[in-house]
Amino acid sequence: MDVRVRYAPSPTGLQHIGGVRTALFNYFFARAQGGKFILRIEDTDQERYSDEALDDLYETLSWLGVTWDEGPIVGGPYGPYVQSERFELYKRYAEQLVADGKAYYCYCTPERLDRVRAEQQANKSEQQGYDRHCRNLSAEERAVFEKEGITPVIRLKVPTEGTTTFHDLLMGDISRKNRDVSPDPVLLKSDGFPTYHLANVIDDHLMGITHIMRAQEWIPSGPLHILLYEAFGWQPPLYCHLPMVMGKDGQKLSKRHGSTAVRDFRQQGYLAEALLNYVSLVGWSYDGVREFFTREQLEELFTLEKINKAPGVFDYKKLEWFNGQYIRQKSDEELLALLVPYLVEAGFITAVIDEALHSRLLTLTASAKERLKVLGDIVGLSRFLFEEPAWENLSLFAAKGVALQTAIDALQRAYGVLKNALGSQVDDETIEARLMDLASEMELKVGGIFMPIRVALTGSSVSLPLFDCLRLLGSEKALQRIEQALAILKREVR
Ligand code: GLU
Ligand code: ZN
């Protein structure tokens, strides 16, 4: 079988983790099978449509390196691949169903439908939804409505008896009594717009889709879609509904858990490789052991058989861990190139980087590499290089359990050690040893000495390794900062 699968998002919101997972599984499956991956834009809901969402879709897929064989921009033999450009076709097919006696025109006004609903509720009626009023209109009755100029909708004749079953590759057979399927859903609205169900089924058929991989929340639509395929006399594709993506608390992943928009992850500085790798493991595994996969590897190794039935858990910490791993795999030069936009955005540097700055930034990158969870962390870690510390909270100078006055004395004496050493050619180990000696002389732990130096140099109690800070600042600047800090401390602390 020549596999043809599709990702069919509705451009109504930003691409989120769940959507991208669906896109990736379809894409990997197509690649692994030597099939085709199709992108289709399901923009039938004009009210919720947004240009921003469409741009975000393209940006997200291109950031992840996911390309489509057929779809918008690239075209293909079954185009157009944007549903709003196919409205004529849906209308034609819907009318064909009416002609074949599988669907019918309904002239009910919104007022009538509201009344029916209100009555059903008041009577606690077993029948819910449309009462099939127009299903058996005579030709004369229809003619009256037509004469009144009412444009009808088209509804599917859902059988009132029997059961509809479809097979899901993952979940097995799924059956629904036809009387429990929504009574005669609208296929074509009176303005000529198709509903999701009609457009989705027609396109999957006409585009030769062989497997439908989509989120499990679409399972309830399954029986209706099967009925539509039957009404058209078409063979339905194979189904594989994907397990839900949950937060760690077992609830469906949502904003309550944290960011879900891929754009947010990207802005915070998650690498595409890391996100792609981790998201692919949510609901799929290779052998339950191996965790690292490049996109190219997944394009070869992905199989439907390894999709889990159970919901996948999206663990933010695990993604962060993957990101750190991928960051550390980068060379310093590669990583620096990724960090520069964050430094520019923070206003630390401009995009014009001369050689001296470049080599300083490389040193910064090498020093920060081990500590970055996301690229954006570079801003906090490097602020001390580009801005003078504010030292707003003087208590930071004192390590835990150390009196502030002691911290000031320690800083004063450490300053002496550093001034001495930095002037001559003394290596880091020697300076460190001298500072340790000072600590034991003052009966302090190392932190009692290092903390005030760290805060003096960076304004913060968390920073890059102390000696990296010294080197990055340069001796002169470093000593100057300590002098300034001491001056403030002496003025503020009596
Ligand atoms: N447009 C639907 C969505 O936004 C597609 C569902 C399907 O794959 O059939 O998810
Ligand atoms: Zn009606």
Side-chain angles (χ1 to χ4, degrees):
M1 184 201 284
D2 288 334
V3 164
R4 293 177 57 83
V5 289
R6 71 349 182 237
Y7 179 46
S10 300
T12 55
L14 299 178
Q15 287 296 301
H16 53 78
I17 293 294
V20 158
R21 205 261 320 242
T22 300
L24 288 173
F25 282 18
N26 277 285
Y27 169 78
F28 291 140
F29 181 59
R31 289 288 169 273
Q33 296 286 319
K36 295 273 189 272
F37 174 63
I38 293 138
L39 180 65
R40 182 170 77 226
I41 309 299
E42 300 210 327
D43 58 347
T44 53
D45 187 343
Q46 300 279 308
E47 268 152 42
R48 293 175 57 220
Y49 171 85
S50 108
D51 276 334
E52 189 196 3
L54 191 61
D55 291 344
D56 179 69
L57 167 72
Y58 294 145
E59 270 167 33
T60 302
L61 293 182
S62 96
W63 180 62
L64 291 169
V66 170
T67 52
W68 50 98
D69 305 301
E70 296 171 27
I73 304 170
V74 303
Y78 302 95
Y81 294 87
V82 178
Q83 289 190 327
S84 58
E85 294 169 21
R86 300 167 64 83
F87 280 1
E88 274 315 306
L89 186 145
Y90 306 129
K91 195 158 179 239
R92 218 166 60 228
Y93 276 93
E95 268 154 11
Q96 185 59 46
L97 283 185
V98 177
D100 294 347
K102 308 286 188 185
Y104 60 92
Y105 293 116
C106 160
Y107 299 88
C108 292
T109 59
E111 293 74 27
R112 176 170 188 281
L113 296 176
D114 283 346
R115 209 166 55 235
V116 170
R117 196 175 310 122
E119 278 166 22
Q120 285 171 348
Q121 272 166 13
N123 302 339
K124 299 209 163 45
S125 157
E126 217 175 85
Q127 198 199 4
Q128 292 288 324
Y130 182 58
D131 63 354
R132 298 187 157 114
H133 178 260
C134 301
R135 184 157 166 155
N136 299 305
L137 292 182
S138 65
E140 292 74 33
E141 287 169 308
R142 271 209 310 277
V144 174
F145 286 122
E146 296 286 348
K147 237 175 134 184
E148 284 173 21
I150 300 177
T151 326
V153 303
I154 293 179
R155 291 183 184 272
L156 179 69
K157 264 189 202 169
V158 172
T160 51
E161 318 251 283
T163 303
T164 298
T165 301
F166 70 97
H167 184 75
D168 186 277
L169 293 174
L170 211 57
M171 312 300 289
D173 280 347
I174 298 177
S175 293
R176 186 95 156 266
K177 291 208 179 71
N178 287 334
R179 66 175 145 81
D180 294 336
V181 174
S182 154
D184 299 4
V186 173
L187 301 177
L188 197 76
K189 300 182 215 169
S190 57
D191 56 9
F193 281 38
T195 55
Y196 154 72
H197 305 292
L198 180 71
N200 185 269
V201 163
I202 291 177
D203 285 351
D204 282 337
H205 175 73
L206 294 182
M207 294 178 183
I209 301 303
T210 56
H211 297 69
I212 294 191
M213 266 186 271
R214 62 182 171 198
Q216 262 180 22
E217 62 203 23
W218 293 101
I219 284 183
S221 299
L224 174 59
H225 290 190
I226 296 294
L227 288 170
L228 262 170
Y229 281 103
E230 282 171 6
F232 281 118
W234 296 337
Q235 177 73 31
L238 298 171
Y239 288 90
C240 179
H241 286 91
L242 303 174
M244 302 277 287
V245 181
M246 307 287 207
K248 275 188 99 175
D249 58 358
Q251 303 288 317
K252 188 183 171 200
L253 189 70
S254 75
K255 295 208 181 85
R256 284 184 308 107
H257 295 101
S259 301
T260 58
V262 174
R263 182 199 276 182
D264 291 345
F265 288 103
R266 184 178 167 187
Q267 281 168 354
Q268 288 165 40
Y270 283 88
L271 302 181
E273 304 92 299
L275 191 96
L276 178 140
N277 189 157
Y278 180 58
V279 167
S280 301
L281 297 177
V282 178
W284 180 85
S285 72
Y286 177 61
D287 55 8
V289 180
R290 178 170 164 192
E291 290 190 306
F292 281 95
F293 299 92
T294 62
R295 191 187 66 236
E296 290 78 6
Q297 289 166 341
L298 289 164
E299 287 174 12
E300 276 178 31
L301 299 175
F302 189 85
T303 56
L304 293 187
E305 288 71 31
K306 297 293 172 63
I307 297 178
N308 296 327
K309 263 194 205 173
V313 173
F314 183 81
D315 179 347
Y316 287 82
K317 280 280 163 240
K318 187 79 196 236
L319 172 62
E320 203 175 86
W321 179 83
F322 266 103
N323 205 51
Q325 299 296 314
Y326 276 96
I327 284 178
R328 287 181 257 304
Q329 279 176 23
K330 300 267 176 213
S331 70
D332 293 350
E333 283 287 3
E334 285 169 331
L335 183 55
L336 174 55
L338 293 166
L339 295 174
V340 163
Y342 290 86
L343 299 172
V344 172
E345 168 81 23
F348 294 167
I349 58 172
T350 65
V352 191
I353 297 170
D354 64 20
E355 231 172 277
L357 179 58
H358 179 83
S359 87
R360 200 153 153 250
L361 292 177
L362 263 187
T363 312
L364 168 67
T365 304
S367 169
K369 205 183 213 174
E370 286 299 320
R371 305 200 170 201
L372 295 173
K373 292 189 182 114
V374 294
L375 300 174
D377 289 346
I378 195 64
V379 173
L381 288 173
S382 67
R383 184 175 299 280
F384 77 103
L385 281 178
F386 306 102
E387 287 174 5
E388 291 304 313
W391 297 303
E392 265 155 12
N393 179 1
L394 297 183
S395 69
L396 289 184
F397 282 92
K400 224 173 137 207
V402 177
L404 187 50
Q405 192 54 59
T406 312
I408 299 173
D409 294 343
L411 185 57
Q412 184 69 62
R413 295 180 64 176
Y415 173 75
V417 171
L418 289 172
K419 192 170 166 98
N420 231 310
L422 293 175
S424 43
Q425 296 292 330
V426 180
D427 60 21
D428 289 355
E429 282 76 43
T430 315
I431 303 179
E432 194 171 347
R434 289 183 194 169
L435 289 173
M436 306 271 241
D437 288 346
L438 175 60
S440 54
E441 242 173 76
M442 293 186 71
E443 295 182 358
L444 289 170
K445 295 198 190 111
V446 203
I449 297 288
F450 279 32
M451 185 56 86
I453 306 177
R454 183 187 307 283
V455 176
L457 296 183
T458 69
S460 168
S461 56
V462 263
S463 77
L464 297 176
L466 193 59
F467 284 91
D468 290 354
C469 294
L470 274 170
R471 192 162 329 111
L472 281 160
L473 276 173
S475 329
E476 203 178 318
K477 182 105 200 160
L479 291 172
Q480 208 181 329
R481 284 230 175 133
I482 301 178
E483 286 160 23
Q484 280 164 358
L486 280 168
I488 291 178
L489 283 164
K490 285 176 188 161
R491 191 176 68 222
E492 302 290 328
V493 184
R494 19 138 241 125

